[in-house]
Amino acid sequence: MLMSLLGVAFGLVLLIGGGTLLVRGASHIATSLGVSPLVIGLTIVGFGTSAPELVVNVLGVLNGEPELSFGNVAGSNIANLSLVLGSAAIFQTIVIRSELVLREIPLLLLGAGAIMAMALDNVLDGAIPVLSRSDGLVLVLLFGIFLYIIALDFVRSRSDDSLLSEISDSAFVPDRKSGVMSWLMAGVGIVLLGVGGSVTIDQSIELATTLGVSTTVIGLLVVAVGTSMPELVTSIIAAVRGEADLALGNVVGSNLFNSLLVLPVSALLTPVPIPEGGITDLLVSFVLTIALIPVFLLGRARLSRPIGIVLLVGYLAYAALRFLGQ
């Protein structure tokens, strides 16, 4: 078991390292081509932190482990909304001022609600719950709406200096660089993602067999938390530096990519069955998303330390119940 656990950890390190290099390299290339920092923040950084989940899911499906793919996305979304946000709020109260981030939350709720409806549709018909290829296509189309919103923001940023400065002044936006090094970083990042994804899949299956639990649980509690480490580190650093918009935007953007791109791509490759307990996982993710509405869209738009502690304790309790329930 120890060797399998170490193998999973090694694979996750490669995934995180590959995602980090891909983000830095692609961001440097984009800035050298004159792409707005706003677009970089909402697309490249968001995609880069979700790249480990995408690689794990695609390889999982191709290796005949769709349950691992489902657990990875569902677990990552739950971890982002509870473990990541809760930890960030414990370090520093998160106060949101950006209209950009607040506008993405309803779209995230729409995506989470759509996945719930797709999963329950088969259950109501008395069939096994599954995300079909047509479901994946619908979710990808919703992702197109997200890209359309980003395109509008890009156009607005050209005439609205205050909008552009929300991200361009951030310490997380890279300096303008160009040259072979940027392309090399991106290339190495892609290679590390591929190798790390393969190692993670193989060792996760081995670990699940050794522990006698389903690959869904391993994906939900081990792989998902590991692939959420970039979001965790980024959000904590952003909160400590007073960049609350990025702390929340990182989580919301990552969950949007997970729900509207990572999971749908898996479903397009092959229908993804919802495993036992999967409906509960989707419901928890949906409820956590709904909780963002009163916290950030109403009232003072702040996530305080006490709420952060509740989110963190809630995640640990749910993880324990999910593991013991196997």
Side-chain angles (χ1 to χ4, degrees):
M1 186 183 90
L2 179 60
M3 293 303 297
S4 298
L5 191 59
L6 290 176
V8 172
F10 177 65
L12 292 173
V13 168
L14 292 179
L15 284 170
I16 294 171
T20 301
L21 286 176
L22 178 59
V23 167
R24 293 182 62 85
S27 298
H28 291 156
I29 293 170
T31 52
S32 69
L33 296 175
V35 177
S36 165
L38 176 63
V39 176
I40 294 173
L42 292 175
T43 55
I44 295 177
V45 175
F47 175 78
T49 54
S50 294
E53 287 93 335
L54 179 61
V55 172
V56 168
N57 270 41
V58 170
L59 292 180
V61 168
L62 295 178
N63 281 275
E65 292 291 339
E67 290 188 350
L68 179 62
S69 300
F70 173 84
N72 180 38
V73 169
S76 181
N77 284 351
I78 293 173
N80 285 342
L81 293 171
S82 53
L83 174 64
V84 175
L85 272 184
S87 299
I90 290 174
F91 278 89
Q92 181 69 42
T93 297
I94 299 176
V95 182
I96 301 301
R97 302 179 182 88
S98 172
E99 293 182 2
L100 294 176
V101 175
L102 296 181
R103 193 178 60 242
E104 291 177 1
I105 293 178
L107 182 58
L108 177 61
L109 181 61
L110 175 62
I115 294 175
M116 272 295 300
M118 292 170 180
L120 291 174
D121 182 48
N122 291 334
V123 174
L124 295 176
D125 290 337
I128 298 176
V130 62
L131 291 178
S132 65
R133 288 187 171 91
S134 59
D135 293 334
L137 181 59
V138 171
L139 293 174
V140 169
L141 292 176
L142 289 178
F143 183 70
I145 296 176
F146 173 57
L147 293 181
Y148 173 73
I149 292 175
I150 291 177
L152 289 181
D153 290 334
F154 174 67
V155 174
R156 289 179 55 203
S157 68
R158 291 180 174 273
S159 58
D160 190 344
D161 294 336
S162 63
L163 184 63
L164 181 60
S165 65
E166 289 181 5
I167 292 183
S168 61
D169 291 340
S170 169
F172 294 97
V173 175
D175 296 329
R176 190 178 294 270
K177 293 183 179 179
S178 60
V180 177
M181 184 57 67
S182 297
W183 289 97
L184 181 61
M185 290 172 63
V188 172
I190 293 173
V191 172
L192 288 180
L193 283 171
V195 175
S198 179
V199 171
T200 302
I201 292 294
D202 293 340
Q203 295 303 311
S204 294
I205 296 173
E206 186 74 24
L207 181 62
T209 302
T210 302
L211 294 176
V213 299
S214 67
T215 53
T216 304
V217 172
I218 296 299
L220 186 74
L221 304 181
V222 179
V223 178
V225 173
T227 54
S228 292
M229 284 298 103
E231 288 90 340
L232 177 63
V233 174
T234 300
S235 292
I236 289 177
I237 293 176
V240 170
R241 292 186 177 182
E243 301 191 53
D245 292 338
L246 279 181
L248 177 62
N250 175 49
V251 168
V252 172
S254 178
N255 276 25
L256 277 171
F257 273 93
N258 286 342
S259 300
L260 303 182
L261 182 64
V262 176
L263 187 58
V265 166
S266 303
L268 287 173
L269 291 174
T270 183
V272 176
I274 309 297
E276 182 179 355
I279 298 294
T280 302
D281 298 330
L282 292 176
L283 180 61
V284 170
S285 179
F286 183 61
V287 170
L288 287 172
T289 305
I290 292 178
L292 292 179
I293 302 298
V295 170
F296 289 116
L297 298 185
L298 303 175
R300 302 174 64 186
R302 60 192 292 124
L303 184 65
S304 62
R305 286 189 177 94
I307 297 179
I309 293 174
V310 171
L311 287 174
L312 184 58
V313 172
Y315 175 78
L316 296 176
Y318 178 74
L321 290 174
R322 196 68 172 84
F323 181 79
L324 295 176
Q326 287 294 302

